[in-house]
Amino acid sequence: MRYINVSKIKEGMLLGQDIFDTNGFLLLRRGQPLHRTYIDRLHKIGINGLYIEDELTDDIKITPVVKPETRMNAVKNIRTMYLKAASNWGETDNVVDEAVAAVQHIADEIFFCAKPIYDIYEFKTEKDYRYYHTINMTTIAMIIGTGLNMKKQELRMLGICAAFCDIGLNNYDQELLESSNSLSEEEINAIKNHPVTGFSMLSEKRGIHARIRQGVLHHHERWNGTGYPGHLKGDQISLFARIIAIADVYDALISNRPYRPAVMPYEAFEYIMANGGILFDPDIVKVFTRKVAAFPVGTKIMLSNGNKGYVKFNYSDCALRPVVKVFDRKEMKIIDLKNDPGALNLTIQSAAE
């Protein structure tokens, strides 16, 4: 199985993953040949790319930490909660409880996974970016949490905090948030108040732990004090918020937005690394580099010797040196960049088109 950009999809390719809408309904089933009507539909809903199956990469297996049905149930419940919160937050207790339960289910799957690492491309659409992004960054945050040896209950709280951190954005014009135009200083300052709004909204709900509310309030603070709303520095920022800051920025960078295209995962990975000790907690960045793959499984890559191939397996303790399947003089070869003595001089130069 391999990942391709949506612009590279051709008729007849076999779909390598189930495609769901935000209500959890199956749109396309894994193994279906992609006909022109399907391809046009995928373009229309604004996906970045998808996995396809072929003989070349049939030995490359994608194993998500969170089951697709668990993830899509969470997307559906988060969407329902956010939409109802926008009209009447005071009467959302039931949908809040359902969203919490959906996030806890993700937390439990991550907690009981032997070696959780985020090394796949998650399906998302531009139209429903907010809901997919919420669950993606929630998943990434909790995977980082396992690297900090969090117990199950703390991991659940971290996930709920991540899933609720942008609830305060409901008070703002959604077209404004998705606009490709430059915002005025007044509009930017208003949006920067959403952590305070979210904190206040969650304070109205029973059963929302103080650490969750604090994480929501702090999630846009930055290690060097340049964040908002309180310009907090270093350990003044809550642990949950320091984790979520990294997960939030990483998933946003690898997503298409109205004002810029997505970057490749390895580019977002390098951005996070470069800002350790500046924007982000350097110790958590170190955990991030073990728990999030620079080159997800199925990525087409080019090695420093010019050979091209695909990532087959990622090591959680060596994110930049995975096992790869490459073309070498018209034959396929498996190279373990971490453990093969003959490969120590090779590096992944880039993700190839």
Side-chain angles (χ1 to χ4, degrees):
M1 196 179 301
R2 60 190 173 100
Y3 181 85
I4 62 170
N5 187 277
V6 67
S7 64
K8 305 291 184 180
I9 299 173
K10 296 179 181 179
E11 285 191 77
M13 287 181 168
L14 295 181
L15 186 62
Q17 63 190 118
D18 290 335
I19 302 294
F20 299 87
D21 67 12
T22 48
N23 292 312
F25 295 118
L26 186 67
L27 297 178
L28 294 172
R29 189 176 298 279
R30 178 179 176 178
Q32 278 188 262
L34 289 170
H35 304 303
R36 174 49 54 189
T37 52
Y38 296 157
I39 296 171
D40 290 344
R41 189 174 183 182
L42 292 170
H43 277 283
K44 187 175 181 180
I45 62 178
I47 68 166
N48 291 2
L50 47 72
Y51 285 103
I52 63 164
E53 295 180 337
D54 59 16
E55 292 183 4
L56 182 69
T57 56
D58 62 357
D59 60 333
I60 296 178
K61 307 299 181 185
I62 309 301
T63 309
V65 174
V66 177
K67 296 174 185 176
E69 56 269 29
T70 303
R71 175 177 179 262
M72 288 313 304
N73 181 60
V75 170
K76 179 184 72 173
N77 279 285
I78 287 295
R79 180 177 182 271
T80 299
M81 182 188 71
Y82 273 53
L83 291 176
K84 290 196 174 182
S87 58
N88 193 343
W89 176 246
E91 297 183 5
T92 57
D93 287 355
N94 288 340
V95 292
V96 167
D97 289 345
E98 289 169 359
V100 166
V103 172
Q104 288 176 335
H105 195 174
I106 292 178
D108 293 351
E109 289 189 10
I110 291 172
F111 182 79
F112 289 111
C113 180
K115 291 184 178 180
I117 180 172
Y118 194 81
D119 69 343
I120 66 171
Y121 292 89
E122 292 283 17
F123 174 82
K124 66 185 80 170
T125 68
E126 290 183 35
K127 177 184 176 183
D128 291 308
Y129 164 80
R130 184 182 183 190
Y131 315 118
Y132 286 107
H133 170 65
T134 295
I135 295 305
N136 289 349
M137 74 165 174
T138 296
T139 301
I140 295 167
M142 288 192 286
I143 289 175
I144 294 172
T146 66
L148 295 170
N149 299 316
M150 286 187 174
K151 302 298 183 184
K152 185 170 73 170
Q153 192 56 37
E154 186 176 23
L155 203 65
R156 283 179 160 195
M157 285 200 295
L158 170 61
I160 295 165
C161 182
F164 284 33
C165 69
D166 282 335
I167 194 72
L169 288 173
N170 274 355
N171 287 15
Y172 304 95
D173 183 349
Q174 298 306 301
E175 290 187 6
L176 178 68
L177 297 175
E178 295 296 319
S179 174
S180 58
N181 299 322
S182 298
L183 302 182
S184 69
E185 184 175 352
E186 182 180 359
E187 290 169 333
I188 292 171
N189 288 336
I191 291 172
K192 282 185 174 182
N193 197 51
H194 80 267
V196 176
T197 304
F199 175 85
S200 298
M201 291 171 68
L202 293 178
S203 296
E204 298 172 12
K205 297 293 181 184
R206 292 183 179 180
I208 301 296
H209 197 281
R211 289 187 68 187
I212 295 172
R213 299 198 305 271
Q214 186 184 49
V216 168
L217 181 62
H218 290 177
H219 76 279
H220 276 292
E221 302 288 358
R222 293 297 179 255
W223 188 253
N224 62 1
T226 59
Y228 60 86
H231 303 292
L232 304 179
K233 290 184 178 181
D235 292 337
Q236 292 177 323
I237 306 166
S238 72
L239 175 62
F240 286 179
R242 282 180 272 146
I243 296 169
I244 292 167
I246 293 172
D248 183 15
V249 171
Y250 175 80
D251 187 70
L253 286 173
I254 62 173
S255 305
N256 282 327
R257 305 297 295 122
Y259 43 84
R260 58 149 181 80
V263 305
M264 293 297 293
Y266 78 92
E267 295 173 307
F269 185 94
E270 290 183 355
Y271 177 86
I272 299 297
M273 284 183 63
N275 280 286
I278 304 172
L279 299 180
F280 309 119
D281 181 331
D283 292 329
I284 298 177
V285 168
K286 290 177 184 176
V287 176
F288 166 87
T289 62
R290 299 199 311 270
K291 289 296 183 179
V292 176
F295 300 94
V297 171
T299 301
K300 188 175 183 181
I301 51 89
M302 183 169 69
L303 297 177
S304 52
N305 64 0
N307 287 344
K308 294 181 180 180
Y310 296 92
V311 175
K312 182 177 173 66
F313 176 81
N314 277 296
Y315 291 105
S316 62
D317 61 345
C318 203
L320 295 173
R321 303 196 66 78
V323 177
V324 297
K325 182 176 185 178
V326 300
F327 308 95
D328 185 13
R329 298 175 183 174
K330 298 184 179 180
E331 65 179 6
M332 300 302 295
K333 179 189 291 187
I334 304 298
I335 301 176
D336 187 332
L337 294 176
K338 176 188 175 187
N339 295 311
D340 286 355
L344 296 179
N345 63 328
L346 293 177
T347 60
I348 296 179
Q349 198 166 55
S350 66
E353 290 296 329

